Amino acid sequence: MALGTAFGAFTLYYANQIEPNWIEVTHHTVTLPRLDPAFNGYRIAQISDIHVDTWMHGERLQRAVDLLNREHADLVVITGDFVSRRVIYDADQLANALKAIQSEDGVLAIPGNHDHYNDNAMARIREILASTNIVDLSNRIHTLKRSNAQLCIAGIDDVVQRRARLDLILDSLPQDTATILLAHEPDVADIIAPLGRFDLQLSGHTHGGQLRLPFIGALISPKHGRRYDMGWFRINDLQLYVNRGLGMVTMRLRFNCRPEISVFTLQAT
């Protein structure tokens, strides 16, 4: 009995104090059939679900940014949920951390469902993005160029809050250019894949479930994040990666699901 109690107490301590602070930097090589050879070796770093609040304060977020900067990525993307519980806990700390992100081709971002819960918070987030020179890619396309070669990064606004306008992207998307889609909710891949217009989708939203048990998987799965909850998936010709995020919601616990910075090295066929 005493041994079981001690084990339970240690597990709770680990899930609350150790794993949430133990950020894993994962590296992935991904082949995109339509990628121009000029972008061979191009590196994209992804962070997601920051959820700045009393736990994800400025100092903790800055440590994550320091890890991110050590990767020297060509491009950084942020796939939504800057805030938690409908408010910005400390807008200045969020702005200072985002301003410190370093990458040759800048930073692109989309909002998540939590960002839209409060219109004032969303407006403040957009102000912060503008002030830190981060491109708000909501329902837009950003084109990267290397001489005559192009790589498109598209982003949709949040699906849960019904802000996504995929039609605006499709209307101006080149036919034969490799395109990466930023979409906060991963399950939208079931709509994206049949279109045949996107090569890679980068998502967040699920936090990997935060609590994962062996042979069972995620104990908590949010709406639009129940089909694809963590890591790599392939739907038709679309490759999907679901990042585990940096922050937490509901319970400040992580078990078998470390916070993540994911780095992708692109390869042409």
Side-chain angles (χ1 to χ4, degrees):
M1 185 72 171
L3 183 60
T5 300
F7 179 78
F10 173 77
T11 301
L12 183 61
Y13 175 82
Y14 170 84
N16 178 255
Q17 296 294 323
I18 298 177
E19 190 162 306
N21 293 293
W22 190 14
I23 299 173
E24 180 180 13
V25 181
T26 62
H27 295 88
H28 314 269
T29 299
V30 54
T31 300
L32 305 183
R34 287 183 283 201
L35 185 70
D36 191 287
F39 284 96
N40 203 40
Y42 194 84
R43 300 175 78 248
I44 299 175
Q46 177 196 13
I47 59 174
S48 193
D49 300 273
I50 296 171
H51 289 290
V52 65
D53 55 15
T54 54
W55 186 87
M56 181 59 80
H57 49 71
E59 182 180 349
R60 185 170 269 123
L61 179 54
Q62 186 59 57
R63 289 201 299 267
V65 169
D66 290 343
L67 279 176
L68 175 66
N69 287 340
R70 290 177 197 171
E71 295 301 313
H72 302 289
D74 297 298
L75 178 73
V76 171
V77 299
I78 307 173
T79 46
D81 276 1
F82 291 86
V83 300
S84 292
R85 296 180 177 84
R86 310 185 182 200
V87 298
I88 299 181
Y89 169 65
D90 193 322
D92 290 336
Q93 290 187 1
L94 176 61
N96 289 337
L98 295 180
K99 190 184 300 182
I101 296 176
Q102 301 169 6
S103 61
E104 181 179 344
D105 288 333
V107 184
L108 310 178
I110 56 170
N113 55 307
H114 279 260
D115 302 322
H116 279 295
Y117 285 155
N118 183 299
D119 288 341
N120 291 332
M122 187 67 250
R124 187 70 182 98
I125 290 168
R126 295 198 194 279
E127 289 176 2
I128 290 172
L129 296 182
S131 69
T132 55
N133 295 317
I134 294 176
V135 177
D136 180 359
L137 209 59
S138 301
N139 303 319
R140 296 174 56 195
I141 298 171
H142 183 81
T143 303
L144 300 163
K145 296 182 178 180
R146 293 289 186 271
S147 298
N148 294 324
Q150 294 188 134
L151 170 63
C152 290
I153 314 292
I156 54 173
D157 208 331
D158 190 68
V159 172
V160 169
Q161 299 299 318
R162 299 182 179 180
R163 305 296 181 103
R165 289 291 307 275
L166 188 60
D167 57 309
L168 297 180
I169 293 173
L170 294 174
D171 286 345
S172 54
L173 187 65
Q175 283 282 353
D176 299 318
T177 300
T179 303
I180 297 170
L181 177 69
L182 310 183
H184 181 65
E185 290 87 0
D187 287 1
V188 75
D190 286 336
I191 297 172
I192 299 300
L195 299 173
R197 302 291 298 278
F198 302 92
D199 302 274
L200 173 65
Q201 177 181 319
L202 301 179
S203 296
H205 183 55
T206 66
H207 308 179
Q210 286 189 201
L211 304 172
R212 298 185 70 89
L213 296 183
F215 309 110
I216 294 175
L219 297 184
I220 303 171
S221 298
K223 183 179 181 182
H224 296 302
R226 293 170 184 155
R227 187 171 176 85
Y228 310 111
D229 62 350
M230 183 183 79
W232 283 107
F233 300 90
R234 192 176 189 99
I235 309 96
N236 299 341
D237 292 328
L238 176 70
Q239 299 177 79
L240 164 66
Y241 190 81
V242 185
N243 179 287
R244 298 190 298 266
L246 293 173
M248 297 173 289
V249 291
T250 309
M251 297 180 292
R252 287 174 179 169
L253 299 171
R254 279 186 180 268
F255 184 80
N256 196 27
C257 190
R258 289 165 61 186
E260 178 183 20
I261 296 169
S262 44
V263 182
F264 306 90
T265 300
L266 307 186
Q267 280 191 342
T269 51

